[in-house]
Amino acid sequence: MSQAAPILEARNVSKYFHDPLTVQVLKDISFTIQRGEFIAVIGKSGCGKSTLLYVLSTMDTDYEGDIMLEGTILRGKKDAELARIRNNSIGFVFQFHYLLNEFSVLKNVMLPGLKKGDSSEKEVEHRAYEKLRILGIQNEALKMPNQLSGGQKQRVAIARALINDPLIIMGDEPTGNLDKKNSDNVFDIFSELCSEFGQTLLVVTHDLDFASKTHRIIEMEDGRIIKG
């Protein structure tokens, strides 16, 4: 692995929920992710893994400690700046694909690229077709999401996550809604993105078969990292 600044680093991150009692859900979490790593975060329900993902992704800013993206400390940045970082540098793939049914597949993939605003619509469209081609669904580009299977929808969601060439893709149970065949397909896609394109991936999953094939497993228990 490169000895350059890690893509992502957590330093002594803790988080509390206050509803109605104060409960500590993340306890002094520290780890680094290097460029091109494919990492799975596992642990029982309620251990804090999804909470950790939301903190790392800047969607939750109420925490103690520091999160660094390519060496830049994210603490204290304004909401608008964090939204820009999320859109430009972090791709998201969730259990539910959250595609907008009123837009075509192509337009769904283009949306984060259009929001970024530094390329013409034509350039973003070209990039979107390229991502769909990598994922083997370019022929579905002009269809509407409700015309696709569950596995195809998740591929579209992955293409959308890739549109701005993010530093890191974060997945929250990305295979949780899929059968074994489509889960394996998603793993193969992530693995290829890592090996062929050097993409960095951090995936929270209950699927131990999926996790076992990644580069590294981070195991959580009761808000702490116990392995990885």
Side-chain angles (χ1 to χ4, degrees), residues 3 14 112 128 182:
Q3 291 310 300
S14 294
N182 279 306

Side-chain angles (χ1 to χ4, degrees), residues 106 109 126-141 155 159 192 197:
L106 182 66
V109 175
H126 176 76
R127 287 213 312 271
Y129 266 115
E130 179 62 16
K131 305 305 183 194
L132 290 168
R133 187 190 62 72
I134 289 168
L135 293 164
I137 49 168
Q138 70 273 31
N139 292 340
E140 320 300 328
R155 285 176 188 241
E192 184 180 352
F197 301 97

